[in-house]
Amino acid sequence: MNRRDFSILALGAALFGARTARAAEGDFEVTRTEAEWRDMLSDLEYRVMREDGTEPAYSSPLDKVYEPGTYHCRGCDQALYSSEHKYDSGTGWPSFWQALPDAIETKPDRKLFFVRTECHCDRCGSHLGHIFDDGPDPTGKRHCLNGVSLVFKPA
C-alpha cells in the first residue's frame, strides 16, 4: 500500500466515522474528565485526540512548518517532537522520523483492514497519529501525526 492509497483510506475512515477505540487508557500523569477535555478542545481536536479520529489530509498548517522548534501535545503541553526530526512525507500530515525520548507510547490499531501502530502522548493519553515503516533514514519510521494534536513552539 502506498502513501496515496493510505491517505484515501484514512480520509474515508475519518469521514465515515470508522473508529472503535478511544484515547489510550491507563494511568497517566495528566487526567481530565470528559467535560474538562470538551471544554478545552475544539470539536475536531476532541474527535482526534480523545476519540482517535483523523483530521483531513493537507488541512493542518503545521504540515509545512519547518522552522526550528518543538512540537508539544495540545492536551498537556509535553514536548513530543523536535523540528530536527521533521520531514515532508508528501502525505498531507506533519511527519517525523522519531519522537523525543520518553514522550510517546504505542498500541496496535485494528480499525482498518490491516494493523497499524497508533501513537499517543505518554503523559495524557491523547491520540497523535500512526507510525509506519516507510520513513527516511536513520530510523525508517514515519510518525504521521494530526496537526490538531500538536502545538508548535519556535526555538
Side-chain angles (χ1 to χ4, degrees), residues 17-120:
R19 57 187 185 271
T20 57
R22 296 190 58 94
E25 295 181 10
D27 294 327
F28 294 102
E29 180 182 342
V30 174
T31 59
R32 294 184 174 86
T33 66
E34 181 178 347
E36 289 170 328
W37 282 114
R38 287 192 181 276
D39 283 346
M40 71 175 281
L41 302 173
S42 71
D43 289 343
L44 177 60
E45 291 164 353
Y46 185 87
R47 186 174 60 78
V48 169
M49 296 170 61
R50 307 313 302 167
E51 298 179 331
D52 294 350
T54 302
E55 70 187 359
Y58 302 101
S59 66
S60 174
L62 294 182
D63 183 34
K64 298 300 180 191
V65 172
Y66 292 101
E67 64 186 88
T70 307
Y71 294 80
H72 290 244
C73 175
R74 181 173 301 282
C76 69
D77 199 38
Q78 174 172 243
L80 301 171
Y81 290 87
S82 168
S83 61
E84 294 176 9
H85 306 137
K86 189 167 194 264
Y87 72 102
D88 185 0
S89 66
T91 61
W93 288 282
S95 298
F96 301 81
W97 50 267
Q98 84 178 13
L100 293 173
D102 302 318
I104 68 166
E105 291 180 353
T106 63
K107 66 180 182 179
D109 176 349
R110 295 176 174 86
K111 291 182 294 231
L112 296 179
F113 303 107
F114 54 94
V115 178
R116 301 178 292 172
T117 300
E118 184 256 337
C119 61
H120 57 271

Side-chain angles (χ1 to χ4, degrees), residues 1 15 20 61 69 91 99 101 119-120 134 136 148 151 153:
M1 172 173 288
L15 291 175
T20 57
T91 61
C119 61
H120 57 271
D134 61 358
V148 297
V151 174
K153 296 187 178 186

